[in-house]
Amino acid sequence: MTMSDTTAPAAPVVPTRGRLRPLGLDEVRITGGFWGDRQAINGEATLAHIESRLESEGWLPNYDLAVAGTLPEGRRGREFADSEVYKYLEALAWEISRTDAAADAPLEQRFRRVVARVAAAQEPDGYLNTMFGRPGQAPRWSDLEWGHELYCLGHLFQAAVARHRTRPDADDGLVEAARRAAELVCREFGPAGRDAICGHAEVEVGLAELGRALDEPRFIAQAALFVERHGHGSLREIEWGQEYFQDDVPVRDAEALRGHAVRANYLASGATDVAVEGGDTALLDALRAQWDRTVERRTYVTGGQGSHHQDEAFGDDWELPPDRAYSETCAGIGSIMFSWRLLLATGEARHADLIERTLFNVVATSPASDGRGFYYANTLHQRVPGVPADPDGTSKRASSSLRAPWFEVSCCPPNVARTFASLAAYLATADDDGVQLHQYAPASVRTTLPDGRVVALDVETGYPVDGNIRVTIVDDAEFTLSLRVPAWATDAELRVHSGDGVAEHPAAPGTVDIARAFRAGDVVELVLPLTVRTTAPHPMVDAVRGSVVIERGPEVLALESIDFGADIGDAVVAGDPVESGGRVALPVRRRSTGEVVETPLVAYHDWARRGPSTMRVWVPAV
Ligand SMILES: [Zn+2]
C-alpha cells in the first residue's frame, strides 16, 4: 500500500477541526458485498465508458483545440462540459488509490494523459476554461449566471485535492494547475476584485478543500467570501427567481435548502466547510437548522431531493409529488456531501442515517447493472413504461425514462463514478478515543489514534440482504468502538464475544459506544432487524396521502408492473407485506377486478432492470 507523505487522510473532506476525523482510502477498504460489487463495476466498466464519451462528445478534445487555436469554431458541449472531465479525473484519482495502482499501471497512464491535455490548455495567468475568453468567444466572467466558469474550476479543485491526498509526489501537473487557477480566482474575485458569485455553487466547496489540502488559508477565505456574497441578488433575475441560484437570501438567514437542488447542496457543503474552518458557530447552526427542515419537509422517502422538473429545484415544504419527483442523482450526491460534512462537525448519527438512505435509494439506483447507463432523475412513480435509450445516443437529462448511456447534460455519470471510487472514505471515522462505524459493508479498517494506539478491525456482513454485522478485532487495543444503529432499527441487538464469553449490550437507535480493552479475535456482533416495515407518509404531504411505502432495512421497495401483471395504476394495498426467504411480497388488489394478487416487490434501486415497466414506491391503501 502506498502511504501518503502528507498527514491528511486520503479522503475528499478533511476539516482542520470538528467532532470526528475522516479516515482515508489507505485506512478503510471495502472488501466486497453490495458496495464492493458496485465499486468493481465502476472501476472495470464505468470509468472507461465515461472517458470514451468524453472523447466522442468532444469534451476532452476541446482542450486540444484550445492548444491548436481552433477552439472558438470547434468547441463542443454545454458551458459546463469541462467539469465532467474534472469529475472524471477525480474519480480516476480515487480509483488509482483504491486499487493501489502502480505508477506504470494503465489507470495511472490514463490519468496522466488526460491531465496533460487539460494542463496544456491553461493560460499563462492561470485561467482555464474552454468556453470563454479567446478571440471569437465571449469574454471571461461575462455570463456569471450561466457560464459555469467558477463551477468548472471548483470541480478542478476537487480533482486536485483527490490527487494531492492520494499521490502527493505524482508531479503530473494537476495540483499545480489547480493552484494557479485558484490564485487567479482570488485575484479576480477577492475583496478588492469583482463583487460577484457563480450561478452554480461549487467553487466554494472546491476552494475550501483545496485550501485545506495545500494549507492555503486565502483559498478558504475566498470560499467564505463567495458564501457570504450569496443572497444579495447580484445575479440577474431569471424566470425561476433568484432562489434558483440561492441568491435570494443570505446563507446564514435561510430556513431551508431551496432553488436548484444540486446548487443548494453544493453551496451548503461549502458553507459548512467555511463555518467549520472559521469557527463560525452561528453559520454552522443555521446550516444544521436548514438540514433539519429540508430533511423533514423537502426530502423524498428515498432520500431524493428536488421535486420540480422545470428548474430541477426543491419545492415548497411538503411539496413531494412522487410522479413528478425529479430527485436528480447529483442532488442525492450533493445531499451526501452536505450530510457528511455535518456528521464530521457534529458526530450526530442522523446525518449518517440520511447518507445511508440516499446511497441505497438514489445513488445505487442510478447506474445500470453493467455500469454503462444511468438515471439522471429518480422518479418514485412511473406511469408510462420507458423507452430503451439508444446505446450510442445521447439523451436529454431526464427524458429517458430508463437508464441512458449519456446525456447532453451529463453531470450524473461522473458524479456517481467519483462517489463510488471514494466510497470507503464515508464508512468510518476516528476521534481521540476510538473508531466509529457509520455505514456497513465488508471492510477492513486500520488506523492509528492520535496517542499512537493502533486500531485494526475487519467487518463482515451481507448487508443489506441480511442484518448481521460482525466486527472482528484484529489486534489487542483499548479503545471505544462506536456503531451507528439506524433510526429504523428499533429492535437491534448487540453482543460482544470475547474470552470472557458473550456480553449483551444495549443498542438503541443512534450511536452505541463500546469502550473496552479489546483482544485480538474479539467479535462485536450487531444484528439489525430487517423486518419489513409499512411506512405511512407525513400527514402534510398531500401527494401521497392514503398511500404507504414498504421498506426493509435501508432499502425502499417498489411495485413494478412486470410483477403485478398489470399497470400499477390499478394497484391497491390489500394486506400486510409478507417475507419469505429474503423476498418480500405485498397482497395487492386490482382496483378494476377486485382480484387480490400477492405481488413480489423489488428494491427501488433495482427497478427497471428487467426492461420497461410502470412502477410505484407509494402504493394506495384506499
Ligand atoms: Zn446530475
Side-chain angles (χ1 to χ4, degrees):
M1 182 180 305
T2 308
M3 295 301 291
S4 158
D5 69 357
T6 59
T7 52
V13 189
V14 184
T16 55
R17 64 181 95 182
R19 170 68 189 84
L20 304 175
R21 181 175 69 86
L23 300 180
L25 298 195
D26 49 355
E27 295 172 291
V28 185
R29 301 247 164 181
I30 297 174
T31 53
F34 185 97
W35 295 114
D37 290 349
R38 281 157 180 78
Q39 287 193 309
I41 292 165
N42 188 51
E44 289 158 12
T46 303
L47 292 174
H49 169 78
I50 290 172
E51 185 166 332
S52 124
R53 282 307 186 110
L54 292 174
E55 290 285 7
S56 64
E57 297 289 333
W59 303 354
L60 249 174
N62 282 341
Y63 293 90
D64 311 332
L65 300 184
V67 174
T70 56
L71 195 48
E73 314 84 69
R75 189 186 181 281
R76 293 172 60 194
R78 295 285 300 270
E79 299 89 332
F80 31 78
D82 294 4
S83 71
E84 314 313 347
V85 174
Y86 305 147
K87 269 185 275 180
Y88 171 64
L89 281 174
E90 184 186 342
L92 272 186
W94 296 126
E95 184 68 7
I96 287 166
S97 175
R98 185 184 80 81
T99 58
D100 212 9
D104 58 353
L107 213 55
E108 175 74 22
Q109 298 303 314
R110 274 160 62 188
F111 182 88
R112 287 177 178 268
R113 277 199 306 272
V114 174
V115 168
R117 292 165 73 183
V118 167
Q122 188 167 31
E123 298 184 36
D125 66 353
Y127 183 81
L128 182 53
N129 188 280
T130 64
M131 182 86 182
F132 291 89
R134 293 166 196 80
Q137 293 185 319
R140 293 178 185 182
W141 325 119
S142 59
D143 183 6
L144 289 167
E145 286 78 11
W146 302 111
H148 288 76
E149 289 156 283
L150 290 164
Y151 166 84
C152 289
L153 291 178
H155 280 298
L156 174 73
F157 301 157
Q158 289 185 311
V161 166
R163 186 62 166 174
H164 181 72
R165 293 211 177 117
T166 52
R167 292 288 186 274
D169 300 323
D171 197 28
D172 49 61
L174 181 63
V175 175
E176 206 40 50
R179 180 194 291 277
R180 292 173 56 218
E183 287 169 350
L184 174 82
V185 170
C186 291
R187 288 196 303 275
E188 283 287 331
F189 294 91
R194 296 164 193 261
D195 181 10
I197 58 172
C198 183
H200 196 316
E202 163 64 23
V203 72
E204 299 81 5
V205 73
L207 269 176
E209 206 61 40
L210 190 67
R212 287 166 166 167
L214 302 184
D215 194 20
E216 288 281 7
R218 65 199 165 124
F219 295 169
I220 299 170
Q222 183 64 47
L225 202 52
F226 281 134
V227 168
E228 294 299 339
R229 283 180 188 160
H230 275 82
H232 300 286
S234 73
L235 296 170
R236 257 196 328 266
E237 185 72 51
I238 60 166
E239 64 175 301
W240 302 309
Q242 278 158 324
E243 77 168 29
Y244 176 85
F245 307 118
Q246 296 78 46
D247 199 24
D248 55 335
V249 178
V251 176
R252 59 180 70 243
D253 298 335
E255 294 182 340
L257 299 196
R258 72 230 174 272
H260 187 271
V262 181
R263 284 167 167 83
N265 274 294
Y266 285 8
L267 179 61
S269 300
T272 305
D273 289 334
V274 302
V276 167
E277 294 306 311
D280 188 340
T281 50
L283 179 57
L284 186 62
D285 288 347
L287 290 158
R288 292 170 70 182
Q290 290 166 35
W291 187 94
D292 287 343
R293 178 153 162 182
T294 303
V295 174
E296 184 191 25
R297 304 181 185 189
R298 300 184 176 198
T299 302
Y300 286 101
V301 67
T302 54
Q305 296 183 344
S307 314
H308 292 178
H309 272 242
Q310 66 166 8
D311 51 351
E312 304 184 314
F314 283 98
D316 294 333
D317 284 352
W318 316 117
E319 182 189 346
L320 292 164
D323 47 355
R324 290 293 286 163
Y326 196 67
S327 180
E328 182 180 338
T329 302
C330 288
I333 290 170
S335 162
I336 290 168
M337 288 166 55
F338 182 27
S339 295
W340 177 245
R341 284 158 176 80
L342 289 180
L343 176 63
L344 292 176
T346 68
E348 291 173 11
R350 61 214 175 102
H351 300 303
D353 277 353
L354 184 69
I355 289 172
E356 173 175 78
R357 184 172 288 278
T358 311
L359 278 174
F360 277 106
N361 301 295
V362 177
V363 183
T365 307
S366 175
S369 305
D370 68 359
R372 295 187 180 89
F374 303 86
Y375 271 129
Y376 188 114
N378 297 280
T379 188
L380 279 72
H381 184 173
Q382 181 78 28
R383 292 180 185 274
V384 180
V387 178
D390 173 358
D392 301 317
T394 299
S395 301
K396 292 186 191 306
R397 311 188 191 211
S399 64
S400 61
S401 41
L402 291 172
R403 295 171 182 87
W406 202 251
F407 305 90
E408 287 174 9
V409 176
S410 216
C411 45
C412 302
N415 224 349
V416 170
R418 67 175 184 153
T419 304
F420 280 174
S422 60
L423 195 61
Y426 297 88
L427 260 57
T429 55
D431 63 9
D432 289 351
D433 300 319
V435 164
Q436 305 80 39
L437 295 181
H438 304 288
Q439 307 298 338
Y440 297 113
S444 68
V445 179
R446 305 284 185 273
T447 192
T448 304
L449 302 181
D451 61 7
R453 283 176 287 168
V454 174
V455 174
L457 42 93
D458 290 334
V459 183
E460 295 168 90
T461 180
Y463 195 71
V465 177
D466 79 65
N468 277 50
I469 296 141
R470 290 172 61 84
V471 182
T472 302
I473 309 299
V474 177
D475 292 323
D476 293 0
E478 183 169 356
F479 69 99
T480 302
L481 176 64
S482 302
L483 302 164
R484 178 180 64 95
V485 178
W488 48 261
T490 47
D491 297 315
E493 299 166 27
L494 184 59
R495 288 181 278 276
V496 180
H497 304 258
S498 70
D500 302 331
V502 180
E504 298 281 340
H505 203 286
T511 303
V512 178
D513 299 323
I514 304 169
R516 61 185 283 143
F518 289 104
R519 306 295 303 270
D522 287 357
V523 173
V524 176
E525 182 187 22
L526 175 65
V527 182
L528 299 177
L530 299 184
T531 323
V532 177
R533 317 187 296 281
T534 300
T535 306
H538 192 289
M540 290 295 286
V541 184
D542 300 78
V544 290
R545 189 171 295 143
S547 299
V548 295
V549 64
I550 312 299
E551 299 180 272
R552 180 179 182 273
E555 294 175 314
V556 171
L557 306 185
L559 175 65
E560 270 197 279
S561 55
I562 193 167
D563 296 310
F564 185 43
D567 183 80
I568 45 79
D570 203 26
V572 183
V573 176
D576 293 328
V578 289
E579 185 178 11
S580 71
R583 293 186 64 80
V584 179
L586 185 68
V588 183
R589 180 164 52 81
R590 290 188 179 161
R591 202 186 292 275
S592 56
T593 65
E595 182 189 2
V596 173
V597 183
E598 195 160 282
T599 309
L601 302 179
V602 295
Y604 171 69
H605 59 70
D606 280 338
W607 92 272
R609 293 199 192 277
R610 294 167 292 172
S613 65
T614 58
M615 178 278 300
R616 65 192 311 157
V617 164
W618 291 101
V619 186
V622 289

